[in-house]
Amino acid sequence: MFKKQYCLVDNNTLASEALAAYFYAFSSEEQLSEALTHRPDGVGCFVLGSGSNVVFASDMDTLVLHNVIQGIDVVDQVDGSVWVKVAGGVLWHSLVLWSIKKGYSGLENLSLIPGTVGAAPIQNIGAYGVELCDVFESLDAIEIKTGRRISLNKGQCDFAYRHSVFKTPAYAGQWVVVSVTLKLCSLKEGVGVEFKTEYGEIEAELARRNIAQLTPELMSNVIVSIRQRKLPDPNVLPNVGSFFKNPIVSTRECRRIKNKFPDLVNYSLSEDKCKLAAGWMIDQLGWKGREDGGAKVHDQQALVLTNVGGGGKAVVDLSKKIQADVKDAFGVFLEPEPLIFI
Ligand code: EPU
């Protein structure tokens, strides 16, 4: 039942060879409950989806619970809206493909994001102008300590940029998300869909392909080709996507940096808040393509660090050097995006 001293290399996209003291893959809530009841005494638990946003820089002295619960069900449909309940172990991109095939829209901009559906709300995954919270309705989760089940709606999840209540001390590491319910648009009902195309790269790709009438499938294809151009395939170059969040600073701070670096890429969030492009800052400092101790900054996207032999530890060491350099030059702290186990 529990595997002991289990090598996690095939369970994390950074291909770290860390060992888990115990490992258990559950494909139903009953199996999860069984594992929680019979877990070895005094051992902590860590919930793992497909390991695309986690860095194992050392062995894990915990029970790693791997969520592989499957299932996608339409639970309600009213006018042009459709509610879809998806099990936590479903791979995110397979859900996107399923939705497109069914004629549902809402997920196309989130195409090709690695990871599982259960992990998606934890950091409120997002790309190309859309975040999970835009289509999120509710989730069901099981408390590790007690086995208690709760449902949380959108407000209770407290979503923000790469953030949810599951990142706060009161919730972090204490819940297993077993299912997520999303509200999508059913094109069959004749509802007009508004596609999010205002991203420069999307507009350029649409123009290049000369697309007159967009569909979710076309939009998804566009996103997939943009992502494939700059983000490395973890099966070829082990990575966890963006290694740092784009920092949010005050408009005053942004102005200060811009005085020194007039080309700074930034997006205004409100009158007094600005988001800075971390990839641009790292790139400016000459890190793009640089290799250091078995880790490498990706050639096409400086925000992505890859494991080229040194494992999770080398990637973390490289990330610290980048953080120090960015702090020095721009006065900004880059917060890591993935969960790091040192
Ligand atoms: N840039 C550079 N050099 C680089 C990288 C970026 O100059 O090496 C510039 C780009 O030219 C652009 C700006 O920085 O002007 C932003 O770059 P990009 O559009 O590639 O997006 P990003 O901010 O680096 C974020 C997400 C990605 C998501 C894309 C598209 C975060 C931390 N990352 O990246 O998400 O796919 O936007 O929406 O918010 C992930 O979270 O793992 C991830 C890949």
Side-chain angles (χ1 to χ4, degrees):
M1 174 181 165
F2 294 107
K3 291 178 178 159
K4 287 185 188 171
Q5 294 301 311
Y6 178 87
C7 180
L8 293 164
V9 66
D10 293 328
N11 294 92
N12 72 98
T13 61
L14 200 57
S16 159
E17 292 174 0
L19 297 178
Y22 299 93
F23 181 88
Y24 181 93
F26 59 96
S27 53
S28 66
E29 285 189 41
E30 291 71 34
Q31 285 185 1
L32 170 62
S33 156
E34 181 92 344
L36 293 178
T37 310
H38 299 294
R39 68 177 181 261
D41 273 350
V43 168
C45 294
F46 171 66
V47 186
L48 184 67
S50 46
S52 56
N53 207 45
V54 59
V55 179
F56 298 120
S58 62
D59 292 340
M60 299 286 285
D61 57 1
T62 55
L63 162 60
V64 173
L65 291 166
H66 179 35
N67 187 349
V68 288
I69 309 180
Q70 300 300 305
I72 307 179
D73 295 297
V74 172
V75 288
D76 204 359
Q77 195 150 8
V78 178
D79 301 328
S81 298
V82 57
W83 284 261
V84 181
K85 186 172 181 172
V86 193
V90 171
L91 289 177
W92 178 265
H93 186 60
S94 67
L95 167 66
V96 175
L97 295 178
W98 174 90
S99 69
I100 287 167
K101 210 164 151 203
K102 285 278 181 186
Y104 303 149
S105 127
L107 302 182
E108 48 281 352
N109 287 40
L110 302 177
S111 294
L112 213 62
I113 295 184
T116 56
V117 169
I122 308 294
Q123 65 149 338
N124 184 26
I125 59 168
Y128 302 101
V130 177
E131 290 182 326
L132 176 81
C133 62
D134 297 327
V135 289
F136 180 90
E137 184 74 15
S138 65
L139 61 77
D140 294 320
I142 306 284
E143 191 176 27
I144 290 173
K145 198 159 83 186
T146 61
R148 178 167 67 105
R149 186 192 177 85
I150 54 161
S151 288
L152 295 184
N153 62 28
K154 185 146 83 174
Q156 291 168 312
C157 286
D158 200 19
F159 291 120
Y161 167 64
R162 296 295 190 272
H163 178 84
S164 77
V165 71
F166 294 101
K167 292 268 181 186
T168 63
Y171 281 77
Q174 297 166 55
W175 294 86
V176 185
V177 175
V178 288
S179 69
V180 176
T181 301
L182 304 175
K183 184 182 172 193
L184 306 178
C185 265
S186 171
L187 300 177
K188 287 179 194 139
E189 300 295 324
V191 176
V193 176
E194 279 185 31
F195 291 100
K196 283 235 165 211
T197 59
E198 48 279 1
Y199 226 81
E201 283 172 301
I202 298 180
E203 281 168 352
E205 185 70 20
L206 291 176
R208 201 176 64 80
R209 293 183 182 209
N210 208 6
I211 293 174
Q213 180 71 50
L214 256 180
T215 64
E217 189 175 11
L218 278 173
M219 189 69 184
S220 174
N221 291 343
V222 162
I223 299 289
V224 166
S225 55
I226 294 173
R227 286 186 75 98
Q228 282 176 336
R229 262 203 306 270
K230 48 205 284 196
L231 297 171
D233 177 352
N235 292 316
V236 180
L237 264 181
N239 74 89
V240 288
S242 300
F243 199 89
F244 301 104
K245 293 184 197 175
N246 285 325
I248 294 172
V249 300
S250 67
T251 304
R252 208 162 140 227
E253 175 75 350
C254 181
R255 238 180 277 128
R256 181 193 65 75
I257 304 170
K258 248 185 129 70
N259 276 339
K260 212 167 150 199
F261 301 92
D263 297 334
L264 173 75
V265 179
N266 65 100
Y267 321 90
S268 170
L269 299 178
S270 64
E271 217 168 271
D272 51 356
K273 289 261 175 289
C274 256
K275 195 193 267 182
L276 310 179
W280 182 89
M281 293 193 277
I282 299 168
D283 195 356
Q284 284 299 300
L285 298 176
W287 280 101
K288 198 188 249 178
R290 258 168 80 180
E291 194 177 328
D292 189 280
K296 186 173 180 232
V297 182
H298 188 50
D299 292 323
Q300 277 77 41
Q301 219 312 359
L303 204 47
V304 176
L305 308 186
T306 62
N307 168 13
V308 290
K313 167 90 170 52
V315 172
V316 172
D317 289 346
L318 172 60
S319 77
K320 286 187 176 150
K321 291 182 186 170
I322 293 171
Q323 273 174 325
D325 227 12
V326 168
K327 180 82 188 151
D328 233 31
F330 298 94
V332 173
F333 173 69
L334 292 186
E335 191 189 333
E337 193 198 78
L339 199 54
I340 298 175
F341 291 97
I342 307 266

